[in-house]
Amino acid sequence: MTRSQSSMTKPARPEDEKLGLGASFAYGFQHVLTMYGGIIAVPLIVGQAAGMDTAEIGLLITACLFMGGLATLLQTIGIPFFGSQLPLVQGVSFAGVATMVAIVNGDGGIQSVFGSVIAASVIGLAITPLFSKIIRFFPPVVTGTVITTIGLTLMPVTANWAMGGNSQAPDYGSPANIGLAGLTLVIVLLLSKLGNATVSRLSILLAIVIGTIVALAFGMTDFSQVGVGPVAAFPAPFHFGMPTFHLAAIISMLIVILVTLVETSADILAVSDIVETKVTSRRLGDGLRADMLSSAVSPIFGSFTQSAFAQNVGLVAVTGIKSRFVVAAGGVILVVLGLMPVMGRVVAAVPTAVLGGAGIVLFGTVAASGIRTLSAVNYKNNMNLIIVATSIGFGVIPIAAPTFYDQFPDWFATIFHSGISSSAVMAIVLNLLFNHFKRGNSENPSVFAEAAERRISPEVLGLLKHGDRCEEGKLIDAEGNEIPLLEADPQH
């Protein structure tokens, strides 16, 4: 084998692996299915708040799919100064929903939302060099904490999906919906256990397809609306009117942009840990700039702020497919869905409960990846354990009690209503306080520190035999007989 052939087979970076066209689009379609519900949720909510009719909301969804695909291509393929070249799927950020609805309800209209997104994203683009310099403040104790919290934050999403997705529907939380989610989960596990390497990696996609077929057989999904509406349509620039710029709306949206920068930084570091590749300050900055550029351009076509989707980080961990070109293929699919609403309607017919069953594995894997990172952290004679404990607890608060910050100022609630940003802020601050500004740290950390390390000598280990065990302070051999202990030497 020549040197060039070897480099093609085994690229220098895991994310640069090329799997072939068919495999790339098959795995890429899994990414689209995983994030499809999330990407259409934002235009649905904002469109309804703006009083749009069904046709206009449909155009809003199409624009979000189209821009999500372009943003994904920019992030994965990259151009000079833009794009982390990591397997990250981009889409409309859910972090800004409350703020956008507030702007719409405040007589600003959808045009004010678009204007605030453009202005705040341009400001965000200008400050990305500052964010890219903070990578040294993201050691494993911080990244592991944030990755774990990302997984925990996504669990209510998959629970809602498993119950049916629409809390107003009469069958929300029904045994049928939860049973369909459970069946999908079982199929994922069976395919992962019994299938060959290809089937195992495609287990999420295959389980969703099989679950949808089962749902169709029992009348739990409807494909009759697939043919209703245009087959193809291009998102027209400024279809919803020219953006308007109001200072209060821009300031509110700027807070959302800061939260997005924090969350995207966490996602970039999380996926780099899963892919096992190095992320430099420059590469992090390129990823953040891609986010901000995509967000600034999105309103032209009727979309909103763009951000990396944390649920797709879980899919990378589950499948072990680290190639950025697979995610780029998913970006192409999103662009096609944005140009062909009929394809979007096919994907939309997949029952939410099916996605919920798959989401249990996907999102749980994100949390497990964070725990794996935390297992490599040194907890001896430092405050790392209390950093992890406090930060995860702080991040879980908005998950366990979504209304916890409702009485706080809007800017504060916007930042800390997200468990991911709450955990990230706390982990960064505590890491700085305890590991960088060490003045005042106790030489013997608090009761939260790790227990003393246990060791035995090689001589003692060599005397033990197979089946020996310790019970209630006594050493017992394989036959159940007590092994006598030597009396302590009073000289020692």
Side-chain angles (χ1 to χ4, degrees), residues 100-163:
M100 289 188 285
V101 169
I103 293 172
V104 167
N105 293 335
D107 299 325
I110 194 71
Q111 295 80 14
S112 182
V113 171
F114 292 143
S116 65
V117 169
I118 292 173
S121 299
V122 170
I123 296 172
L125 183 62
I127 64 175
T128 50
L130 173 63
F131 267 79
S132 64
K133 298 296 183 185
I134 66 173
I135 190 170
R136 68 189 185 94
F137 299 121
F138 281 85
V141 69
V142 173
T143 57
T145 297
V146 175
I147 296 169
T148 303
T149 307
I150 289 173
L152 296 176
T153 299
L154 291 169
M155 292 314 294
V157 175
T158 197
N160 179 59
W161 286 354
M163 296 172 75

Side-chain angles (χ1 to χ4, degrees), residues 225-470:
Q225 298 300 309
V226 170
V228 179
V231 174
F234 186 86
F238 303 116
H239 171 80
F240 299 100
M242 295 299 293
T244 58
F245 301 91
H246 299 95
L247 183 60
I250 293 172
I251 293 174
S252 298
M253 191 57 64
L254 183 57
I255 296 172
V256 173
I257 288 296
L258 293 175
V259 173
T260 300
L261 286 170
V262 172
E263 290 189 346
T264 300
S265 297
D267 287 332
I268 289 174
L269 293 169
V271 82
S272 69
D273 183 71
I274 292 169
V275 172
E276 297 177 335
T277 191
K278 184 178 182 181
V279 170
T280 61
S281 175
R282 168 66 183 274
R283 198 172 180 186
L284 177 61
D286 288 348
L288 296 177
R289 278 188 288 273
D291 244 21
M292 293 299 100
L293 179 63
S294 301
S295 297
V297 173
S298 287
I300 295 174
F301 295 96
S303 186
F304 311 107
T305 53
Q306 302 292 312
S307 179
F309 268 57
Q311 49 262 56
N312 292 86
V313 175
L315 186 57
V316 173
V318 168
T319 62
I321 301 296
K322 304 174 181 179
S323 171
R324 60 190 172 100
F325 299 108
V326 163
V327 176
V332 172
I333 294 172
L334 284 172
V335 171
V336 171
L337 291 175
L339 296 175
M340 298 183 66
V342 64
M343 294 300 295
R345 293 192 291 272
V346 171
V347 178
V350 174
T352 310
V354 169
L355 297 176
I360 293 173
V361 178
L362 291 175
F363 306 157
T365 304
V366 179
S369 298
I371 293 170
R372 182 180 61 185
T373 300
L374 290 173
S375 69
V377 174
N378 176 24
Y379 297 99
K380 186 178 180 182
N381 291 330
N382 57 43
M383 298 295 287
N384 281 338
L385 194 63
I386 200 169
I387 293 173
V388 174
T390 306
S391 302
I392 290 181
F394 200 63
V396 168
I397 286 176
I399 306 172
T403 61
F404 191 82
Y405 296 112
D406 281 5
Q407 301 302 315
F408 285 71
D410 289 344
W411 65 269
F412 188 93
T414 299
I415 295 173
F416 292 102
H417 183 72
S418 165
I420 299 172
S421 57
S422 295
S423 179
V425 169
M426 181 61 75
I428 293 169
V429 170
L430 292 183
N431 180 58
L432 286 171
L433 180 64
F434 290 127
N435 291 335
H436 289 267
F437 307 121
K438 295 187 176 182
R439 184 176 179 181
N441 282 8
S442 172
E443 292 184 6
N444 297 304
S446 72
V447 293
F448 296 103
E450 185 184 46
E453 187 177 8
R454 300 174 64 190
R455 295 184 180 183
I456 61 172
S457 68
E459 292 80 5
V460 172
L461 184 62
L463 293 173
L464 296 177
K465 297 180 180 179
H466 180 70
D468 290 349
R469 62 192 184 277
C470 187

Side-chain angles (χ1 to χ4, degrees), residues 19-263:
L19 303 181
L21 200 60
S24 293
F25 275 92
Y27 293 127
F29 191 51
Q30 282 193 131
H31 279 285
V32 173
L33 288 173
T34 301
M35 55 86 72
Y36 191 85
I39 201 172
I40 68 173
V42 176
L44 277 172
I45 295 170
V46 177
Q48 290 169 357
M52 294 182 176
D53 59 28
T54 303
E56 287 181 317
I57 292 176
L59 291 174
L60 207 61
I61 292 173
T62 300
C64 290
L65 291 169
F66 178 72
M67 281 308 306
L70 292 181
T72 299
L73 289 170
L74 178 62
Q75 188 70 268
T76 54
I77 303 300
I79 59 176
F81 304 108
F82 295 92
S84 64
Q85 295 188 342
L86 286 167
L88 285 167
V89 178
Q90 301 288 116
V92 178
S93 172
F94 207 84
V97 170
T99 300
M100 289 188 285
V101 169
I103 293 172
V104 167
N105 293 335
D107 299 325
I110 194 71
Q111 295 80 14
S112 182
V113 171
F114 292 143
S116 65
V117 169
I118 292 173
S121 299
V122 170
I123 296 172
L125 183 62
I127 64 175
T128 50
L130 173 63
F131 267 79
S132 64
K133 298 296 183 185
I134 66 173
I135 190 170
R136 68 189 185 94
F137 299 121
F138 281 85
V141 69
V142 173
T143 57
T145 297
V146 175
I147 296 169
T148 303
T149 307
I150 289 173
L152 296 176
T153 299
L154 291 169
M155 292 314 294
V157 175
T158 197
N160 179 59
W161 286 354
M163 296 172 75
N166 181 8
S167 60
Q168 305 303 315
D171 64 342
Y172 183 73
S174 67
N177 278 335
I178 295 176
L180 183 59
L183 175 65
T184 307
L185 172 61
V186 170
I187 294 171
V188 172
L189 298 177
L190 286 176
L191 292 175
S192 300
K193 171 69 175 176
L194 304 176
N196 57 28
T198 301
V199 171
S200 180
R201 287 176 169 180
L202 284 171
S203 59
I204 299 294
L205 174 59
L206 294 174
I208 289 173
V209 171
I210 296 171
T212 301
I213 293 172
V214 172
L216 186 62
F218 284 90
M220 296 179 65
T221 187
D222 182 14
F223 283 85
S224 63
Q225 298 300 309
V226 170
V228 179
V231 174
F234 186 86
F238 303 116
H239 171 80
F240 299 100
M242 295 299 293
T244 58
F245 301 91
H246 299 95
L247 183 60
I250 293 172
I251 293 174
S252 298
M253 191 57 64
L254 183 57
I255 296 172
V256 173
I257 288 296
L258 293 175
V259 173
T260 300
L261 286 170
V262 172
E263 290 189 346

